[in-house]
C-alpha cells in the first residue's frame, strides 16, 4: 500500500475543504491583514515613539524607573552609612588614635567600578535590588560614561562627610540608568500601540471581506477559488517535501519514500514536474 499517495490525496482534499470554507476573499484578506499589520508597525512605531517621548508618557515612565533606582541606591547608601558609623563607634570604643573618616573610607575602599560592562552593570543593579534581563543591562551599560563610573565609585566608597557629593552621584547614576530603560519602555509601548492600531484596521477590512463573501454570487466564486488556493498551498508543501526526499534519498528512509513516489504515476508526475527543484539544483 502506498501510504505516501494516500497522505498526499488526503492533504489535497483537506486543503480544498479549508480553502472552500474560508473562501478566496477570506484567504486574501488574511494575507493582506498580516501585510498591513507589519507595514503599519514598521511605519507607525517610530512616529508613535517620538510622540510618546515628547509627552507625559515618557515622563511617567522615567519617573517610575528613576524612583525605583533611587530607592535602591538610598537603601544601599543608608546601609553603608550604618556600617561606617558602627566601625567608627567600634574604633572610638577601642581608644584608637586615628578614627578619622579617611581611615574608615580606606577600610571600605573597593575596586574600580566599570558600569559600561554589561555584567558589571547587572551586578551593580542586583546590589540595589534591581533585577533586569541581560539584554536590558547591555542597553543601559552603553549609556554609561566616565562621570557615571566615578559616581558609582563614590557611592560604593561612601564616607560620612560625603553627603553632598553622594547626592550628586546618585542623581547621575539614576539619570544614566533610568534614561535608556524609560526609552526602552516607551519603545515597547509604541510597538504595542501600533500593533493594536493595525489590528483595528485589519479587523475592519476583514468585516468588509466577510460581508462580500456572504453574497450569493461573489461568495460562491470566492469559495471555489478558495478551494483551488488550498490545493495550491498543499501542492507547494508536497513539492518542498519531495525536495527534502531528494536531498536525503541516499538514506534508508529516503530510499523507501523514493520507491513510493516512483510506484505511483500521480506522485511520479508531481515529482518530475516539481517547480521548486531550483532550491536544490541552483
Amino acid at each position: 500500500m502506498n501510504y505516501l499517495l494516500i497522505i498526499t490525496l488526503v492533504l489535497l482534499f483537506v486543503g480544498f475543504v479549508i480553502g472552500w470554507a474560508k473562501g478566496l476573499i477570506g484567504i486574501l484578506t488574511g494575507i493582506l491583514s498580516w501585510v498591513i499589520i507589519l507595514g503599519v508597525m514598521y511605519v507607525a512605531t517610530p512616529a508613535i515613539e517620538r510622540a510618546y517621548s515628547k509627552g507625559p508618557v515618557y515622563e511617567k515612565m522615567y519617573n517610575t524607573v528613576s524612583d525605583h533606582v533611587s530607592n535602591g541606591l538610598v537603601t544601599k547608601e543608608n546601609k553603608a552609612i550604618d556600617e561606617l558609623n558602627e566601625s567608627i563607634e567600634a574604633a572610638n570604643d577601642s581608644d584608637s588614635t586615628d578614627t578619622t573618616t579617611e581611615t574608615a573610607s580606606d577600610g571600605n575602599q573597593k575596586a574600580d567600578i566599570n558600569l559600561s560592562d554589561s555584567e558589571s552593570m547587572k551586578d551593580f543593579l542586583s546590589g540595589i535590588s534591581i533585577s533586569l534581563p541581560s539584554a536590558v543591562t547591555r542597553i543601559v551599560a552603553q549609556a554609561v560614561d566616565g562621570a557615571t563610573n566615578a559616581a558609582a565609585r563614590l557611592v560604593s566608597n561612601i564616607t560620612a562627610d560625603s553627603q553632598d557629593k553622594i547626592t550628586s552621584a546618585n542623581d547621575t547614576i539614576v539619570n544614566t540608568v533610568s534614561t535608556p530603560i524609560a526609552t526602552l519602555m516607551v519603545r515597547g509601548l509604541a510597538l504595542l500601540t501600533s500593533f493594536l492600531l493595525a489590528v483595528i484596521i485589519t479587523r475592519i477590512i476583514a468585516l468588509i471581506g466577510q460581508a462580500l463573501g456572504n453574497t450569493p454570487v461573489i461568495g460562491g466564486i470566492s469559495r471555489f477559488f478558495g478551494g483551488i488556493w488550498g490545493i495550491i498551498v498543499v501542492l507547494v508543501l508536497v513539492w518542498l517535501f519531495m525536495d527534502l526526499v531528494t536531498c536525503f534519498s541516499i538514506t534508508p528512509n529516503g530510499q523507501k519514500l523514493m520507491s513510493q513516489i516512483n510506484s505511483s504515476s500521480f506522485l511520479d508526475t508531481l515529482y518530475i514536474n516539481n517547480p521548486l527543484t531550483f532550491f536544490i539544483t541552483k
Side-chain angles (χ1 to χ4, degrees):
M1 182 178 293
N2 195 326
Y3 294 104
L4 186 58
L5 175 62
I6 295 174
I7 293 173
T8 301
L9 293 175
V10 170
L11 289 176
L12 289 171
F13 177 75
V14 171
F16 178 81
V17 171
I18 293 175
W20 176 275
K22 289 186 175 180
L24 184 61
I25 292 178
I27 293 172
L28 294 179
T29 300
I31 296 174
L32 180 62
S33 295
W34 280 109
V35 172
I36 292 175
I37 287 175
L38 295 177
V40 169
M41 291 179 67
Y42 181 80
V43 174
T45 299
I48 295 174
E49 181 182 349
R50 287 193 296 270
Y52 282 163
S53 298
K54 296 178 181 178
V57 174
Y58 174 81
E59 184 178 352
K60 182 176 179 60
M61 296 292 183
Y62 180 87
N63 291 337
T64 300
V65 176
S66 62
D67 287 345
H68 190 46
V69 176
S70 180
N71 289 337
L73 286 170
V74 169
T75 300
K76 183 178 182 180
E77 176 185 325
N78 290 339
K79 181 179 179 181
I81 291 175
D82 291 340
E83 292 176 352
L84 179 62
N85 290 333
E86 289 176 1
S87 66
I88 293 175
E89 290 177 2
N92 289 332
D93 291 341
S94 62
D95 295 326
S96 174
T97 58
D98 186 7
T99 58
T100 63
T101 303
E102 290 183 1
T103 302
S105 176
D106 292 339
N108 286 288
Q109 190 71 28
K110 299 181 181 179
D112 287 343
I113 296 175
N114 181 20
L115 298 183
S116 58
D117 177 71
S118 59
E119 288 301 320
S120 298
M121 174 60 74
K122 190 171 185 177
D123 293 339
F124 179 80
L125 293 176
S126 297
I128 57 176
S129 302
I130 297 177
S131 178
L132 295 175
S134 297
V136 178
T137 56
R138 282 197 296 271
I139 293 174
V140 176
Q142 292 173 357
V144 171
D145 55 15
T148 304
N149 281 324
R153 285 192 293 271
L154 178 60
V155 173
S156 178
N157 302 318
I158 187 173
T159 59
D161 60 349
S162 302
Q163 289 303 301
D164 291 338
K165 293 181 180 179
I166 290 169
T167 299
S168 177
N170 281 345
D171 290 342
T172 301
I173 295 172
V174 168
N175 181 66
T176 302
V177 173
S178 301
T179 298
I181 294 178
T183 300
L184 192 63
M185 292 172 68
V186 168
R187 186 169 302 148
L189 184 61
L191 191 66
L192 178 61
T193 302
S194 63
F195 175 75
L196 293 177
L197 178 63
V199 168
I200 292 174
I201 295 173
T202 54
R203 183 55 184 165
I204 294 173
I205 294 175
L207 291 175
I208 295 174
Q210 184 178 359
L212 291 174
N214 290 333
T215 59
V217 177
I218 297 179
I221 296 174
S222 173
R223 284 190 291 273
F224 173 76
F225 284 103
I228 300 299
W229 176 262
I231 292 176
I232 293 173
V233 172
V234 173
L235 283 175
V236 170
L237 295 176
V238 170
W239 281 325
L240 287 174
F241 175 74
M242 288 181 172
D243 282 346
L244 292 175
V245 172
T246 301
C247 293
F248 296 95
S249 58
I250 195 173
T251 64
N253 289 330
Q255 290 283 306
K256 292 178 182 179
L257 292 171
M258 284 301 304
S259 175
Q260 293 199 8
I261 290 174
N262 294 330
S263 64
S264 168
S265 58
F266 176 70
L267 293 178
D268 191 50
T269 300
L270 290 179
Y271 183 81
I272 294 173
N273 297 283
N274 184 352
L276 301 181
T277 52
F278 69 88
F279 279 121
I280 59 175
T281 59
K282 62 179 180 178

